[in-house]
Amino acid sequence: MDRADFRVTLLGTGTPIPVSDRFGPSTLVEAGDQKLLIDAGRGASIRLHQLAVPIGRLDALFLTHYHSDHTVGIPDLWLTGWLQSYFGTRTAPLCVIGPEGAKILMTHLERAYALDVSIRIEDEKLPPRGAAISVEEFSADGVVYDRNGVRVIAFEVDHGDAIKPAYGYRIEYDGRAVVISGDTRFNQNVIKYGAGADLLIHEVAIAPPALLAEPFIQRIMAHHTTATEAGRVFAQARPKLAAYTHLVFLASAQIPPATVDDLVAETRRTYDGPLVAGEDLMQFAIGEEVTLRRFAGVESK
Ligand SMILES: [Zn+2]
Ligand SMILES: [Zn+2]
């Protein structure tokens, strides 16, 4: 059976730190004839281009929350996806779905780029509809997208008391499911919606023990999930494969960050099932099994 029809690619597995090997948070989900993007962090358009996915070809962009590292790639995605056919020349409005806050963000982006849009309509004769944006907001757990057999369910997560709203997503297609935690502390809702998923993609943060007493480190850790906590989520949700994205490696000028090996070792204290530490352009095919491959066209490591 051809199961190449449900695929997930990590476009960006990083954080606000502007490094070239881990771009800002963004995940591409391809299901049947549809292409969905979860968050659009820094460089999402570059990664799509590396995959030869036309930037204007996305069916919908889903936002988890409004930290800038998850949204700074939106104007690039929106406007570059409207350019000539090489990029897809979107002729329909960009569809954005997110918790409350999406409308104000997108309305102000439209204002910020109004001159570019009017100039290109006049000068390049680009289709005005392709520069339009349609926004749908939600404010509770539930189905937020249901089209051609692809169902997306939003579920609230806990990114800290001040960082609301914050949501994760469960994407279902043809009897299979992929779940993305979004940014969150250890949260029961991820276990509830992640239960039995084929692929559960979770954020994670790790700090060297010597740094854990530092207030600025404690503040950041209080917004995220430790590896042992993520292991507990995986152990209870029992996905076919667990994967990390949004890898937060904390460090200071004196103390270097932990490593991916440290992250995996910490996770193994609470979870002994299949686990992968994500990298940019890592690809998962969701079939009877979940298979993993590195995208061959990647330019850098
Ligand atoms: Zn965040
Ligand atoms: Zn984040």
Side-chain angles (χ1 to χ4, degrees), residues 60-141:
L61 167 65
F62 296 82
L63 301 174
T64 59
H65 67 300
Y66 297 104
H67 267 150
S68 61
D69 51 316
H70 296 251
T71 61
V72 289
I74 295 176
D76 191 7
L77 194 80
W78 165 42
L79 294 165
T80 309
W82 182 46
L83 300 185
Q84 69 260 37
S85 57
Y86 192 56
F87 302 117
T89 313
R90 192 182 49 251
T91 53
L94 175 68
C95 172
V96 179
I97 299 170
E100 285 172 357
K103 280 183 179 158
I104 197 162
L105 174 66
M106 299 314 297
T107 302
H108 285 81
L109 282 177
E110 283 184 303
R111 280 198 206 165
Y113 287 96
L115 195 55
D116 176 56
V117 170
S118 62
I119 286 170
R120 288 186 194 274
I121 289 171
E122 173 69 23
D123 177 49
E124 297 177 36
K125 314 300 178 202
L126 290 178
R129 259 174 66 78
I133 298 170
S134 81
V135 185
E136 289 167 36
E137 287 185 340
F138 56 83
S139 55
D141 291 11

Side-chain angles (χ1 to χ4, degrees), residues 4-54:
D5 63 343
F6 195 14
R7 220 164 36 169
V8 174
T9 309
L10 304 178
L11 301 185
T13 59
T15 65
I17 302 169
V19 292
S20 60
D21 58 342
R22 290 193 186 274
F23 279 7
S26 186
T27 305
L28 174 69
V29 178
E30 296 170 281
D33 62 349
Q34 295 178 69
K35 297 185 192 301
L36 313 179
L37 200 66
I38 314 295
D39 285 334
R42 181 188 303 113
S45 294
I46 298 175
R47 294 299 190 219
L48 287 171
H49 192 60
Q50 284 178 291
L51 291 166
V53 171

Side-chain angles (χ1 to χ4, degrees), residues 1-10 27-32 51 171 173-174 176-178 197-201 239-243 276 281-295:
M1 196 181 325
D2 174 21
R3 290 298 204 171
D5 63 343
F6 195 14
R7 220 164 36 169
V8 174
T9 309
L10 304 178
T27 305
L28 174 69
V29 178
E30 296 170 281
L51 291 166
I171 301 105
Y173 176 66
D174 194 23
R176 292 158 278 165
V178 171
D198 293 80
L199 175 64
L200 174 51
I201 301 172
K240 280 187 186 163
L241 179 64
V276 164
L281 292 171
M282 198 177 257
Q283 222 161 44
F284 305 91
I286 319 298
E288 294 304 319
E289 302 296 321
V290 180
T291 53
L292 166 73
R293 72 177 179 113
R294 295 291 321 258
F295 175 67

Side-chain angles (χ1 to χ4, degrees), residues 64-70 159 163 183-184 203 223-224 246:
T64 59
H65 67 300
Y66 297 104
H67 267 150
S68 61
D69 51 316
H70 296 251
H159 196 14
I163 312 167
D183 281 18
T184 186
E203 71 117 86
H223 295 154
H224 296 287
H246 198 289

Side-chain angles (χ1 to χ4, degrees), residues 25 99-100 125 169 197 207 216 225 238 254 262 271-273 283:
E100 285 172 357
K125 314 300 178 202
Y169 290 103
F216 82 97
T225 304
R238 298 225 149 273
Q254 292 78 32
D262 297 331
Y271 172 65
D272 60 6
Q283 222 161 44

Side-chain angles (χ1 to χ4, degrees), residues 70 90 188 212 296 300:
H70 296 251
R90 192 182 49 251
Q188 287 292 341
L212 288 174
S300 55

